[in-house]
Amino acid sequence: MAPPLSRRHLLQAAALAAVAPAISYTTSGKAVAATAATPAAWSVQPFSLDEVALKAGVFADKRQLMLDHARGYDVNRLVQVFRANAGLSTGGAVAPGGWEGLDGEANGNLRGHYTGHFLTMLSQAYASTGEQVFADKIATIVGALTEARAALRTDPKMLAVTGRWGGALESVRGSYQYVDLPAAVLGGASAITLSVWVRPTHDANWQRVFDFGNNTTRYLYLTTRNASGVPRFAITTSGAGGEQGLNGTAALPLNQWSHLAVTISGSTGTLYVNGTAVATNTAMTLNPAALGTLTNNWLGRSNYAGDPVYAGGFDEFNVWSRALTQAEITSLQSNEAKLSTAGLGNLASYYFQATSGGTFSDASGRGLTATLRRTWGGPSHPGFLAAYPETQFIALESMTASDYTKVWAPYYTAHKILRGLLDAYTATGDARALDLASGMGDWMYSRLSVLPEATLQRMWGLFSSGEFGGIVEAIVDLHSATGKAEHLALAKLFDLDSLIDACAANTDTLNGLHANQHIPIFTGLLRLYDATGETRYLTAAKNFWGMVVPNRMYGIGGTSTGEFWKASGLIAGTISDTNAETCCAYNLLKLSRTLFFHEQTPKYMDYYERALYNQVLGSKQDKADAEKPLVTYFIGLTPGHVRDYTPKQGTTCCEGTGMESATKYQDSVYFKAADGSALYVNLYSPSQLTWAEKGVTVTQATDYPREQGSTLTFGGGSAAFALKLRVPSWATAGFQVTVNGGAVSGTPVAGSYFTVSRTWKAGDVVRVTVPFRLRVEKALDDPSLQALLYGPINLVARNSATSYLQFGLYANAALSGDLLPTLTPVSGKPLHYTLNGTEFAPFMEGTEAATHAYFRRVEPKVVFGNLDSGVANPAKSDGTTLLDEIWAGAPFASKSVLVSKVTSTVNAWVSAGLLTQANGQVVINTAGQATYVS
């Protein structure tokens, strides 16, 4: 085992490992990107999406729904949160909602992640179809992100909008911008008037129009909405309990200009709304003079850190050292202050239309220039790019316990953005995307490289807050594109040593861990292995995979319950409404695929087929929708569960990965040996491969899985290589291969690859026949709880009952051991069957039917060929029944062989006292009298 690289030496190693970018092209010859070479450690390599075209079939149908969604969606909605964070105009775009926006779960602490997913989806769609609409949308997003980062690199600038009297200042919700006024703005006046035009754009309570104070003890403020939703003015020198206030009587309208004014003179304070006095307090003992000189003098920001920043417009803010009369207040309603009877404020007067920068001159003559600022200051590095302030990243560094309402996986969100930018660069060659991605890498390195090792380990060990998704994989890919040593060093800074070391030692510590927080870590470790040669990364990833598959895997290929793992082997004991988070399947597919690049172990592609053809296909609803991608978050495996395709208001992590999955279904149909000596056919899927290096095409025609086989036709020139055809581990009913109509010698073995080597030429036809059998998979912790699979397909019962259904399957089992004859096919509906009045259908169908993914296996009577012996089916103490033991001997070459097995088994059970001699003879006689399907 090679010794691990220390971080001290990693920069030097990274510099030596850096590779120069290389231009890659589509099959049409169009330059699309600058990407690094395939890792040398990969003995098998993938084809790019544009080299494998999907043909008509279930995958193309599902993809079409997602492509239509992508074509029609206004991507300005996605970048709304980035533009807002940078203080730029959002152009009236409305953020998608859910996790994308300020009103969703945890106040949108993940906002920006969905934009990254969407970029990846668009990039894959463009690579697959070449449609310009996808490239155009990518360019719009990349352009907006470029503008947003540029704005974040400088001090905030005024966003001008149409105001009450011309131009006005807009404070975009999510920009965290406010106006900072000089300390002398109130002038120590004992009598005062404050006047302002506001146009609030959000109805959050406690948004301050202004707040002048030192802290939460000594201040005066005006808010557009108090806890009752009406304007409020208050002044205090003893905190909230000592406030002397004035409350309005009605809520201010949103998106309309309203005038607010407050006057204090002697013991009387008055609040005016649109020229009308709505509140008067004649017992006031406080005024600005009592407060003295104040530290924080803000428009739009509160001295209470938890209050929202004001969202909306400001026009004309004036302060007078006297109480204006009612007539003067009235005059302000129809005139600019300078033209009103009140005149300009003598303490302060700001015309926000007078600047396009970040400062506002004072027209009062006192020279009190105001400055536009952000509550969080500004980025620590010019490469920073996010849809929220850097504060989440900063706070994470000192957190000791998770609180997602304050910090919700900021590096996870950074990963999605980074991955989307890299994919956009690969798909379109837009240098801006790589520049943005490289800047993000530079910024993350500047933050993380200065932190102590103990801090990093604590951060990455925090549930949710420290989740970083697949960022390591993305950073290694970034390094491949930039060659910057710092980027490879950055990837190492995400090492979670406790997890890596445990998995490298094959010690299972997954119980209680958040599943999707940890699965993508291992894909990243594989890429780190590629870049550094540290074998513990590869070992850890392989061992980790074995801890999940099959020990924590459901029949559909998914894993996790309520997002977490339980103990190894616990399946029946974890069935719930929140099983199989869709992101987990997405990331396990990616991990399995990447492991196969290193070791061509068939189990990885067996898993890939299972999860792809079941959970991933079934997670996408078979329905068009312009607003939502319609992808599940959880897939409940409880009896009668109905899938929810619009979870959590949409825009979740799983809908993001679901969009990605639906635009890359073809990514693992074919692989090639790194030296070009072999072509792997991993999946039987209607598609066409263009293998440019060999000058050949391979067209796969099939309706798999409705068809039990596939036909591959070669085109182009001639080329010598080994064709490696995957023999699924479930393919125990025979696997046959012909070339140009002639049988190929050799014995295919289930769970392997069958190799046909020759010089292939145009017109060659390979026919693969893969007979399906109906079989069950037993829950590891409860053998009586079973899932039904037919070939690669999980068949689920459609029934609204909320308790486990009970079925027996031996009644008409075939001599081959196939259980299918016990079921009745549904005419005109491939892969649909009925049993005892209940329909079984493929899980991959994205319906809203109530389903049962698991059922209770009950075989009360000994029945052969639908002939009931009348004898109860006895069982051993471990639950194994007589029929189980008999049928474990399948396949049977003939009826006589079966009867012989029945006889020997019955005799053993009679000898063990588990069956009477008389009943045993009845069982043997029934087996001999029955008629069997072969």
Side-chain angles (χ1 to χ4, degrees):
M1 177 177 176
L5 290 174
S6 68
R7 290 195 173 93
R8 177 167 36 189
H9 296 111
L10 192 62
L11 287 177
Q12 179 182 6
L16 295 174
V19 295
I23 300 294
S24 66
Y25 293 84
T26 65
T27 54
S28 64
K30 174 185 175 184
V32 292
T35 57
T38 302
W42 290 3
S43 52
V44 160
Q45 300 173 354
F47 290 94
S48 59
L49 293 179
D50 66 287
E51 293 175 309
V52 183
L54 281 182
K55 298 298 184 181
V58 60
F59 289 110
D61 291 343
K62 294 268 190 179
R63 184 181 71 170
Q64 189 60 48
L65 292 169
M66 196 63 75
L67 292 178
D68 288 344
H69 172 70
R71 289 185 189 100
Y73 199 85
D74 179 8
V75 295
N76 286 295
R77 298 183 60 191
L78 299 171
V79 294
Q80 190 267 0
V81 289
F82 288 90
R83 286 171 166 152
N85 186 53
L88 299 174
S89 173
T90 60
V94 178
W99 287 2
E100 283 295 322
L102 287 161
D103 296 314
E105 194 169 351
N107 300 313
N109 280 350
L110 283 183
R111 60 191 182 275
H113 83 111
Y114 197 69
T115 302
H117 284 299
F118 215 94
L119 260 180
T120 293
M121 184 258 285
L122 289 172
S123 300
Q124 293 173 172
Y126 181 56
S128 295
T129 69
E131 292 183 31
Q132 188 62 34
V133 63
F134 300 125
D136 291 343
K137 288 178 181 290
I138 291 169
T140 297
I141 294 174
V142 171
L145 297 183
T146 301
E147 292 170 0
R149 188 184 68 173
L152 288 170
R153 285 180 166 184
T154 64
D155 291 333
K157 301 290 192 300
M158 173 181 169
L159 175 59
V161 294
T162 301
R164 182 65 177 83
W165 306 114
L169 169 66
E170 176 81 357
S171 180
V172 178
R173 185 162 183 259
S175 68
Y176 301 94
Q177 291 183 176
Y178 68 100
V179 179
D180 190 17
L181 305 178
V185 64
L186 297 180
S190 56
I192 200 165
T193 299
L194 302 105
S195 164
V196 65
W197 284 94
V198 294
R199 182 177 60 84
T201 56
H202 193 259
D203 60 0
N205 293 340
W206 300 115
Q207 296 179 78
R208 298 295 199 263
V209 176
F210 58 74
D211 195 336
F212 305 135
N214 290 337
N215 43 43
T216 57
T217 300
R218 196 177 196 86
Y219 55 79
L220 66 84
Y221 69 78
L222 175 64
T223 180
T224 55
R225 296 173 61 91
N226 63 3
S228 300
V230 298
R232 172 177 172 81
F233 170 82
I235 184 170
T236 182
T237 56
S238 56
E243 287 185 0
Q244 298 175 14
L246 298 160
N247 291 320
T249 56
L252 295 182
L254 296 181
N255 302 307
Q256 294 182 28
W257 287 102
S258 298
H259 184 257
L260 299 175
V262 175
T263 64
I264 298 176
S265 180
S267 61
T268 301
T270 305
L271 172 64
Y272 295 87
V273 177
N274 293 324
T276 300
V278 296
T280 300
N281 184 341
T282 59
M284 297 188 71
T285 60
L286 297 175
N287 56 49
L291 299 180
T293 301
L294 301 171
T295 304
N296 305 321
N297 299 276
W298 297 328
L299 299 182
R301 182 180 180 182
S302 172
N303 276 288
Y304 285 85
D307 288 341
V309 177
Y310 171 78
F314 284 111
D315 198 356
E316 274 206 339
F317 178 68
N318 283 277
V319 184
W320 293 266
S321 58
R322 62 187 180 87
L324 297 187
T325 65
Q326 173 68 68
E328 289 174 316
I329 297 290
T330 300
S331 179
L332 290 170
Q333 307 309 300
S334 55
N335 297 279
E336 293 180 75
K338 64 185 177 182
L339 301 177
S340 72
T341 57
L344 296 175
N346 65 310
L347 292 181
S349 180
Y350 298 100
Y351 285 85
F352 296 108
Q353 72 268 32
T355 181
S356 58
T359 59
F360 308 97
S361 59
D362 172 24
S364 72
R366 298 179 68 210
L368 303 179
T369 301
T371 305
L372 188 63
R373 303 191 190 282
R374 301 184 186 99
T375 61
W376 55 285
S380 64
H381 186 281
F384 173 75
L385 177 63
Y388 47 67
E390 198 175 357
T391 49
Q392 278 205 66
F393 298 93
I394 297 169
L396 175 62
E397 294 166 7
S398 59
M399 290 182 72
T400 57
S402 181
D403 182 352
Y404 86 127
T405 65
K406 293 183 173 62
V407 176
W408 193 5
Y411 284 98
Y412 171 93
T413 303
H415 161 242
K416 301 309 174 190
I417 299 167
L418 177 62
R419 179 78 268 167
L421 289 168
L422 289 172
D423 291 338
Y425 174 62
T426 300
T428 67
D430 190 334
R432 297 176 301 172
L434 181 60
D435 181 61
L436 290 169
S438 182
M440 289 186 71
D442 297 343
W443 155 68
M444 285 187 280
Y445 182 75
S446 74
R447 285 214 70 84
L448 298 178
S449 63
V450 298
L451 296 178
E453 178 70 17
T455 299
L456 292 172
Q457 295 300 318
R458 174 173 46 77
M459 286 165 57
W460 308 143
L462 286 174
F463 158 62
S464 190
S465 295
E467 182 175 358
F468 53 77
I471 201 167
V472 174
E473 177 192 11
I475 293 170
V476 175
D477 288 347
L478 173 66
H479 167 257
S480 296
T482 66
K484 288 186 177 182
E486 294 87 349
H487 292 163
L488 184 55
L490 170 63
K492 283 276 291 181
L493 295 176
F494 288 90
D495 279 6
L496 180 55
D497 289 332
S498 59
L499 179 69
I500 298 170
D501 292 343
C503 288
N506 208 19
T507 301
D508 189 332
T509 61
L510 303 189
N511 187 12
L513 291 185
H514 183 223
N516 196 53
Q517 180 167 344
H518 295 87
I519 298 170
I521 289 176
F522 291 90
T523 309
L525 294 181
L526 286 173
R527 296 291 288 115
L528 264 179
Y529 165 73
D530 296 336
T532 67
E534 288 195 33
T535 55
R536 75 171 182 135
Y537 291 144
L538 176 61
T539 302
K542 290 192 294 184
N543 290 342
F544 166 79
W545 191 92
M547 295 172 190
V548 178
V549 182
N551 298 301
R552 292 178 171 88
M553 181 193 75
Y554 302 109
I556 59 173
T559 188
S560 79
T561 181
E563 299 193 12
F564 288 83
W565 281 311
K566 302 298 183 183
S568 180
L570 201 59
I571 301 298
T574 64
I575 298 295
S576 75
D577 285 333
T578 57
N579 291 128
E581 183 185 357
T582 304
C583 278
C584 293
Y586 167 91
N587 280 309
L588 275 175
L589 286 178
K590 181 174 283 191
L591 176 61
S592 301
R593 179 178 193 261
T594 310
L595 282 167
F596 192 86
F597 295 153
H598 295 88
E599 292 185 353
Q600 288 70 65
T601 306
K603 66 181 180 180
Y604 297 133
M605 285 297 108
D606 273 343
Y607 173 78
Y608 202 98
E609 179 184 60
R610 176 194 294 265
L612 180 66
Y613 277 87
N614 292 291
Q615 175 160 0
V616 171
L617 279 180
S619 68
K620 173 71 186 86
Q621 188 173 16
D622 298 329
K623 179 180 174 182
D625 194 285
E627 180 69 14
K628 304 292 182 186
L630 299 182
V631 176
T632 58
Y633 192 105
F634 295 120
I635 294 178
L637 300 178
T638 50
H641 181 79
V642 177
R643 287 173 228 170
D644 178 6
Y645 298 98
T646 54
K648 298 176 178 286
Q649 301 176 335
T651 66
T652 63
C653 53
C654 290
E655 285 158 300
T657 54
M659 291 190 301
E660 294 182 33
S661 292
T663 48
K664 66 179 182 73
Y665 288 136
Q666 75 270 39
D667 75 344
S668 298
V669 177
Y670 310 98
F671 295 151
K672 58 186 175 183
D675 61 3
S677 63
L679 175 67
Y680 289 78
V681 180
N682 305 307
L683 301 173
Y684 299 106
S685 175
S687 55
Q688 183 175 68
L689 166 68
T690 301
W691 192 359
E693 296 96 328
K694 292 290 186 180
V696 301
T697 62
V698 179
T699 302
Q700 193 175 168
T702 180
D703 195 26
Y704 190 93
R706 300 184 183 98
E707 176 184 353
Q708 298 181 21
S710 184
T711 301
L712 292 82
T713 302
F714 287 76
S718 63
F721 56 86
L723 182 68
K724 292 183 173 291
L725 303 164
R726 189 176 67 88
V727 186
S729 58
W730 50 260
T732 57
F735 183 94
Q736 298 177 341
V737 179
T738 64
V739 176
N740 299 328
V744 178
S745 62
T747 304
V749 177
S752 70
Y753 279 80
F754 183 71
T755 302
V756 183
S757 296
R758 60 182 278 150
T759 297
W760 300 96
K761 62 183 184 301
D764 282 345
V765 176
V766 176
R767 175 62 190 171
V768 178
T769 303
V770 196
F772 293 2
R773 279 185 180 166
L774 188 70
R775 68 192 189 282
V776 297
E777 287 190 354
K778 302 173 182 178
L780 298 177
D781 52 334
D782 183 355
S784 73
L785 197 67
Q786 302 180 357
L788 196 62
L789 291 101
Y790 185 47
I793 299 304
N794 180 207
L795 296 178
V796 294
R798 290 182 175 172
N799 192 301
S800 60
T802 55
S803 58
Y804 286 115
L805 301 176
Q806 297 184 352
F807 293 106
L809 297 171
Y810 288 136
N812 195 29
L815 291 174
S816 65
D818 192 351
L819 302 172
L820 187 65
T822 299
L823 279 62
T824 302
V826 178
S827 178
K829 297 176 71 175
L831 300 178
H832 286 243
Y833 303 89
T834 60
L835 179 61
N836 298 342
T838 294
E839 182 177 12
F840 282 81
F843 183 92
M844 68 181 180
E845 293 182 354
T847 72
E848 294 178 288
T851 61
H852 292 243
Y854 284 90
F855 64 94
R856 190 70 68 185
R857 182 73 175 273
V858 177
E859 304 279 357
K861 294 291 187 67
V862 176
V863 181
F864 294 103
N866 283 330
L867 186 61
D868 190 345
S869 70
V871 176
N873 183 24
K876 294 180 177 179
S877 58
D878 65 359
T880 302
T881 70
L882 176 66
L883 286 176
D884 288 336
E885 194 162 304
I886 291 170
W887 285 106
F892 301 107
S894 64
K895 175 180 175 178
S896 63
V897 175
L898 168 61
V899 173
S900 177
K901 173 66 174 176
V902 171
T903 301
S904 62
T905 305
V906 164
N907 290 338
W909 281 57
V910 169
S911 297
L914 298 172
L915 187 66
T916 67
Q917 182 73 45
N919 281 344
Q921 191 58 54
V922 172
V923 170
I924 294 171
N925 291 341
T926 302
Q929 294 166 9
T931 301
Y932 301 92
V933 177
S934 59

